[in-house]
Amino acid sequence: MKYVKQFGIILCVSLAGEVLHQFIPLPIPASIYGIVILFLCLEWKIISVSAVKETSSFLIEIMPVMFIPAAVGLMDSWQIIKNDWVSYAVITIFSTFVVMIVSGKVVQAVINRTQKKREDRQ
């Protein structure tokens, strides 16, 4: 029953993201609204981490399975994209490296900022 409750909390937050997406005319996916809402609820301690921990861990573990429909969709669309596959591959590789570099820089900045705050307190 604990998992049903945790999954229900996650679904309610996702629903709130869908509702925001309908009312705010920005080109932001509803899932992003939901992630931001969940983050804020966890940060402001409206929802405790233990209230969603096990179910969120399970969802992260099965995440690779969620990519199967997308892969099948690509295979189904092969006739459309086969003439431009080199462009798609180059864009995918380039954007992957950009995301890795930016993510690394952000993590380094957060770590450095956290260490500075610790040093300042001491």
Side-chain angles (χ1 to χ4, degrees), residues 61-80:
E61 287 175 12
I62 66 165
M63 190 181 292
V65 175
M66 303 302 176
F67 288 103
I68 292 173
V72 171
L74 279 176
M75 290 172 28
D76 192 39
S77 303
W78 178 249
Q79 293 301 320
I80 298 168

Side-chain angles (χ1 to χ4, degrees), residues 13-18 20 29-40:
V13 171
S14 295
L15 176 64
E18 291 288 340
L20 275 180
S31 59
I32 301 302
Y33 285 120
I35 289 171
V36 170
I37 293 169
L38 183 60
F39 171 75
L40 292 174

Side-chain angles (χ1 to χ4, degrees), residues 5-115:
K5 180 182 174 187
Q6 291 181 7
F7 193 67
I9 292 170
I10 293 170
L11 283 178
C12 287
V13 171
S14 295
L15 176 64
E18 291 288 340
V19 169
L20 275 180
H21 178 68
Q22 292 300 318
F23 289 109
I24 299 175
L26 294 174
I28 298 172
S31 59
I32 301 302
Y33 285 120
I35 289 171
V36 170
I37 293 169
L38 183 60
F39 171 75
L40 292 174
C41 287
L42 290 169
E43 188 67 26
W44 294 336
K45 309 227 184 310
I46 297 169
I47 299 173
S48 67
V49 173
S50 62
V52 293
K53 186 171 185 162
E54 289 88 1
T55 300
S56 60
S57 295
F58 170 73
L59 290 172
I60 290 171
E61 287 175 12
I62 66 165
M63 190 181 292
V65 175
M66 303 302 176
F67 288 103
I68 292 173
V72 171
L74 279 176
M75 290 172 28
D76 192 39
S77 303
W78 178 249
Q79 293 301 320
I80 298 168
I81 64 174
K82 72 178 179 181
N83 295 329
D84 296 321
W85 73 271
V86 174
S87 301
Y88 293 126
V90 169
I91 291 168
T92 301
I93 292 167
F94 176 75
S95 62
T96 299
F97 279 107
V98 169
V99 167
M100 288 187 332
I101 291 167
V102 170
S103 298
K105 294 291 185 185
V106 168
V107 169
Q108 285 176 342
V110 169
I111 289 171
N112 290 339
R113 185 174 178 193
T114 305
Q115 286 176 346

Side-chain angles (χ1 to χ4, degrees), residues 112-122:
N112 290 339
R113 185 174 178 193
T114 305
Q115 286 176 346
K116 272 187 179 179
K117 283 184 179 180
R118 286 183 186 160
E119 291 171 0
D120 290 343
R121 281 189 234 150
Q122 294 173 354

